[in-house]
Amino acid sequence: PVTMHEVLKIASQVPSISLITGSSVVPVTAPIIIQGVVTDLPSSLNSSYIDYFWTLVPPLPTAGSSYVDLSSTVLVIPSGILRSNISYTFTFHVTSSQVNGSRVDIITSSTTVSIAPAPTTQTVLVGGGISYGSSDPIVLSSPPLSSSSSQSYLSSSWSCQSSNCPSSSSAFTSLLVSATNTPSLSLPPGTLSPGAYVFQFQAVSTLDGSLVTSQTTVVISAGSPPVIAVTSPSAILTSILPSSSSSLPSSSSSSSSSSTSISTSQVNPVEQVVLNSYALSRGSD
């Protein structure tokens, strides 16, 4: 092993480190790659005692530590691990444990990278923008927050943004709280009085702080709004006309001998109805 005198002598012959980085500002949606290149290490150092490692200030978030190797000359941090709106100082250490088994820094080099936030994503809530009756249940839901399997990295919450929200009601507050970290909010009938309410859904990444927001308006009317159904003309004709190729009987009045026949088709009753020329006599009152 080398002596401390030799270590001090080595220190006066400081090797050089260059850090190969990309931009000093990296969006939270992009990975960070920094390479440490060491040159001119003294030949008196045994390479088997040389170690490399990285430190971060502030520290690497615990949730992402298992994805990052801090003991390599190339530091790779996947996207979403570091928090946005924070500047991190990365320090590359070259150490030797050749003296008494204790690790000693031979040289270090640092660089700073700022993490820019991802833009806020606006999504549309399913079940919003329509009218409900006060006796109807209300169900609002958000589309999938991520196509990846890391849904557990996302926390979410529901809130009512209107001044007329029953915020003082413990039952209403409990419904919002119970919907935390779930993509849907269910309100039983009678929860809201007639009026217009604005609901907001927010999903926050617990790793990078990026935000997904959705907002919608729900209108509550007294009772239940009338249900309007649209039925196609073909369905109506099929239900009121005789079966295919049947005819209506001729009029019993003697003033006219013309008859009316209506032919229908299973294919498209609307297009296949044929009205022949006819004359109907006026019946007795």
Side-chain angles (χ1 to χ4, degrees):
V2 296
T3 63
M4 183 58 69
H5 173 74
E6 290 173 313
V7 171
L8 294 176
K9 182 179 179 181
I10 291 172
S12 65
Q13 302 171 355
V14 176
S16 62
I17 296 180
S18 59
L19 297 181
I20 302 175
T21 64
S23 173
S24 59
V25 179
V26 177
V28 73
T29 54
I32 294 176
I33 302 176
I34 306 176
Q35 181 178 3
V37 179
V38 183
T39 56
D40 301 327
L41 276 175
S43 58
S44 56
L45 284 177
N46 189 329
S47 59
S48 62
Y49 290 93
I50 300 296
D51 294 307
Y52 307 97
F53 70 94
W54 297 84
T55 57
L56 281 72
V57 178
L60 186 71
T62 304
S65 59
S66 60
Y67 300 96
V68 181
D69 182 7
L70 296 175
S71 60
S72 172
T73 57
V74 179
L75 176 65
V76 179
I77 301 180
S79 61
I81 298 296
L82 300 181
R83 300 182 183 279
S84 58
N85 294 318
I86 295 180
S87 294
Y88 288 85
T89 298
F90 300 86
T91 301
F92 181 57
H93 301 256
V94 181
T95 67
S96 173
S97 56
Q98 194 166 335
V99 179
N100 298 325
S102 300
R103 176 179 288 179
V104 178
D105 271 342
I106 299 175
I107 188 173
T108 63
S109 181
S110 300
T111 187
T112 300
V113 177
S114 298
I115 310 301
T120 300
T121 302
Q122 299 288 338
T123 60
V124 178
L125 288 177
V126 178
I130 60 177
S131 295
Y132 292 87
S134 57
S135 58
D136 295 333
I138 300 171
V139 178
L140 303 177
S141 61
S142 172
L145 304 178
S146 173
S147 58
S148 68
S149 59
S150 56
Q151 290 285 342
S152 60
Y153 290 177
L154 298 171
S155 63
S156 61
S157 62
W158 292 86
S159 61
C160 186
Q161 300 292 310
S162 307
S163 58
N164 58 340
C165 295
S167 303
S168 59
S169 168
S170 58
F172 178 74
T173 303
S174 297
L175 291 171
L176 295 178
V177 172
S178 63
T180 301
N181 297 330
T182 62
S184 63
L185 171 66
S186 297
L187 302 178
T191 301
L192 300 176
S193 302
Y197 300 85
V198 177
F199 285 91
Q200 180 172 280
F201 173 78
Q202 285 190 340
V204 181
S205 170
T206 57
L207 288 178
D208 58 38
S210 59
L211 182 66
V212 177
T213 87
S214 306
Q215 196 172 86
T216 191
T217 300
V218 171
V219 177
I220 308 298
S221 304
S224 296
V227 177
I228 300 175
V230 178
T231 304
S232 66
S234 61
I236 298 174
L237 288 172
T238 300
S239 64
I240 65 174
L241 292 177
S243 60
S244 179
S245 302
S246 63
S247 300
L248 292 177
S250 59
S251 171
S252 59
S253 303
S254 58
S255 302
S256 173
S257 59
S258 298
S259 64
T260 301
S261 64
I262 301 178
S263 301
T264 63
S265 169
Q266 296 289 340
V267 178
N268 191 334
V270 176
E271 297 180 357
Q272 299 299 323
V273 172
V274 179
L275 297 178
N276 296 330
S277 59
Y278 63 92
L280 297 177
S281 63
R282 180 176 179 181
S284 59
D285 295 334

